[in-house]
Amino acid sequence: MNALKQTANRLFSISQNNYLNPHTALVWPETLERSQWFMAPELISLNGSPVYEELSEKQKKELSFWEAVNFFSLNIHGEKALVEGLAQRLYRRELADVAEYLHSFLDEENKHMVYFGGFCQRYAGKIYRDRKLKIEREYAYGEEEFLFFAKTMIFEELADYYNLRMGNNSEIELTARRINLIHHLEEARHLAFGREIVRYLFNKFAAHWTGEVLQNVRHYLLSYLEATWKEYYNPDVYRDAGLDEVFDLVDQAWHSSASKKHRQQASFRCVDFFVKEGILEKNLVV
Amino acid sequence: MKTQEDMKKELHAWIVKNNAKIKAEELCNDTDIIRERIINSLQIIDLLLFVERLSGTSVEVEQLKPGAFKNIDTIYQNFLERQGDEQCNK
Ligand SMILES: [Fe+2]
Ligand SMILES: [Fe+2]
């Protein structure tokens, strides 16, 4: 608990000193000129599929706009679940030592949705729907607690891979770029906290688990990683970008060797952490 | 044109293909795929995409009735029936 508490205290003071007002942190232009990149071309899900090569530059940029709306939307869905889970955990006895930081964490995630939602509502008039469905089930001792933070880490690590590549990228339209930058700066703290708490909870609970529970946890984390990735390949995006046979495009994009390589690279940091901590057995990635 | 039977067969094949737990002959149209943990919450995302592809319409998860994904029959009733009927009548 000590390492976790120390990290939480340190992050809490950084959060206090970098407190942002979400309503002034961004300037929202009236409209956005679509002839710009909203998502870096190398991060566009269809890049590496045959169809992408056939698109004109104008079409690629249009697609990049909808890809950005999808990226921001999936962040909102993840953050909604995160805020819900963090609120439930405030002042729980076993996390009372880090309650102060949980307040900052929760506050920052709410602000992120102001940025992501602000962009999507203003310029796309919508947020893409979430396809995740909750199914209640029973958990072993500490399993749910551990999975909540481990899933958060996966979701945040992947998003940060994108933020990091766009936050300072002058190719990207300014508002989208700035959202990526602000998000990355705050997420760096969440990721640091995530590592400590995932490590702490795993060491605390895994010893109580049977081999079967541990195998289920490992299997679940890998499926969660895969399911999180699937959200980056959204047929609704391709439809909005004016493309046809959108489900075939999802298949093509998902199975292309370029995108497999991309997913491996972007997953590396969190998978590597899980492997080093003994949470995952070896480097099995989607 | 796909009939009710075609679509249920496709759902059946998809579920068998996407999990190692159940054999084709063990899966019936009324087998509870959620309670028997044949499909988990993460696979539902893929199943949803498959249903959208089959029905040609979008599924709003927020408006889903509980039990919509219980078994092949309920999936058909909730997402595919209208389309199946229309096509049968054509
Ligand atoms: Fe966030
Ligand atoms: Fe975060």
Side-chain angles (χ1 to χ4, degrees):
Chain A
M1 191 64 178
N2 249 350
L4 175 63
K5 198 178 167 185
Q6 274 171 17
T7 304
N9 288 344
R10 179 175 61 84
L11 296 170
F12 179 57
S13 70
I14 304 175
S15 279
Q16 280 180 302
N17 294 330
N18 292 278
Y19 192 82
L20 280 183
N21 177 346
H23 307 293
T24 54
L26 279 172
V27 182
W28 300 102
E30 197 61 34
T31 54
L32 295 180
E33 186 56 58
R34 289 285 180 86
S35 58
Q36 307 176 73
W37 294 104
F38 293 88
M39 192 81 155
E42 67 274 17
L43 297 176
I44 291 178
S45 61
L46 285 178
N47 197 341
S49 300
V51 63
Y52 188 75
E53 301 315 317
E54 289 163 20
L55 300 179
S56 66
E57 168 130 344
K58 187 167 175 269
Q59 286 175 306
K60 286 177 182 169
K61 285 178 169 167
E62 177 69 15
L63 173 62
S64 84
F65 172 78
W66 296 106
E67 288 268 307
V69 173
N70 186 52
F71 177 54
F72 294 167
S73 297
L74 66 86
N75 270 286
I76 292 175
H77 302 315
E79 285 166 345
K80 273 173 70 173
L82 182 48
V83 163
E84 216 179 298
L86 287 173
Q88 276 172 16
R89 284 163 179 82
L90 274 176
Y91 298 106
R92 267 204 199 154
R93 204 180 310 146
E94 66 272 22
L95 293 176
D97 276 352
V98 298
E100 266 187 331
Y101 183 65
L102 292 186
H103 276 296
S104 297
F105 197 162
L106 200 156
D107 167 58
E108 286 163 4
E109 293 303 354
N110 184 49
K111 286 173 181 170
H112 299 169
M113 290 187 277
V114 175
Y115 309 132
F116 293 134
F119 185 95
C120 295
Q121 293 288 25
R122 270 185 186 82
Y123 307 121
K126 67 174 172 189
I127 287 161
Y128 283 121
R129 67 212 150 97
D130 190 7
R131 287 190 174 83
K132 282 194 293 298
L133 210 69
K134 231 195 215 155
I135 297 178
E136 300 300 333
R137 67 166 172 110
E138 279 173 25
Y139 294 95
Y141 174 63
E143 186 189 3
E144 189 177 16
E145 210 47 31
F146 168 75
L147 283 179
F148 171 74
F149 285 103
K151 279 157 62 178
T152 298
M153 188 172 156
I154 291 175
F155 155 68
E156 294 197 323
E157 281 282 0
L158 300 195
D160 196 54
Y161 185 88
Y162 284 69
N163 290 153
L164 199 56
R165 277 155 188 77
M166 292 193 280
N168 276 316
N169 184 340
S170 58
E171 202 178 26
I172 308 291
E173 182 281 327
L174 197 58
T175 315
R177 190 197 314 166
R178 183 129 174 91
I179 292 175
N180 276 289
L181 178 66
I182 295 176
H183 198 233
H184 165 67
L185 294 175
E186 298 204 323
E187 286 298 308
R189 298 196 285 277
H190 302 175
L191 290 170
F193 179 73
R195 282 167 182 247
E196 282 306 331
I197 196 157
V198 165
R199 180 182 289 134
Y200 167 75
L201 294 173
F202 187 72
N203 291 333
K204 182 174 171 180
F205 294 125
H208 299 274
W209 296 341
T210 62
E212 196 194 345
V213 171
L214 182 60
Q215 277 321 311
N216 286 342
V217 164
R218 286 174 170 160
H219 180 77
Y220 184 85
L221 284 180
L222 287 171
S223 330
Y224 182 81
L225 176 63
E226 184 174 319
T228 306
W229 269 122
K230 292 241 160 101
E231 298 189 301
Y232 284 77
Y233 302 77
N234 187 349
D236 299 345
V237 165
Y238 308 149
R239 206 175 284 121
D240 285 334
L243 305 174
D244 296 325
E245 306 294 341
V246 293
F247 292 103
D248 293 341
L249 294 183
V250 171
D251 288 344
Q252 260 184 45
W254 179 260
H255 294 291
S256 86
S257 54
S259 81
K260 277 185 195 161
K261 199 170 151 222
H262 162 71
R263 291 197 297 275
Q264 271 177 3
Q265 276 170 355
S267 313
F268 179 79
R269 210 165 52 174
C270 76
V271 173
D272 187 53
F273 169 82
F274 285 143
V275 171
K276 283 187 177 140
E277 294 295 320
I279 295 167
L280 287 181
E281 277 171 310
K282 51 184 176 228
N283 213 333
L284 295 166
V285 202
V286 274
Chain B
M1 289 300 140
K2 279 178 189 161
T3 63
Q4 171 169 176
E5 212 188 317
D6 290 340
M7 287 204 247
K8 286 188 178 176
K9 265 189 192 154
E10 287 194 43
L11 282 169
H12 186 276
W14 189 93
I15 295 167
V16 171
K17 194 181 118 201
N18 282 277
N19 87 92
K21 246 184 173 171
I22 193 160
K23 294 194 187 86
E25 59 273 22
E26 293 164 353
L27 177 67
C28 307
N29 286 353
D30 62 355
T31 306
D32 191 328
I33 59 172
I34 306 293
R35 190 168 336 141
E36 300 200 15
R37 299 181 69 172
I38 293 164
I39 293 290
N40 67 27
S41 59
L42 299 172
Q43 291 169 310
I44 288 249
I45 303 171
D46 273 337
L47 179 55
L48 209 73
L49 278 173
F50 183 69
V51 166
E52 287 185 16
R53 172 182 278 204
L54 216 52
S55 70
T57 54
S58 308
V59 175
E60 285 297 338
V61 173
E62 283 174 14
Q63 286 154 22
L64 277 186
K65 284 185 234 155
F69 278 98
K70 190 173 176 210
N71 58 43
I72 292 176
D73 285 333
T74 58
I75 296 172
Y76 178 79
Q77 282 155 17
N78 282 286
F79 308 109
L80 305 165
E81 189 156 44
R82 216 182 35 188
Q83 198 225 2
D85 285 350
E86 273 168 22
Q87 298 203 342
C88 288
N89 294 338
K90 268 178 200 169

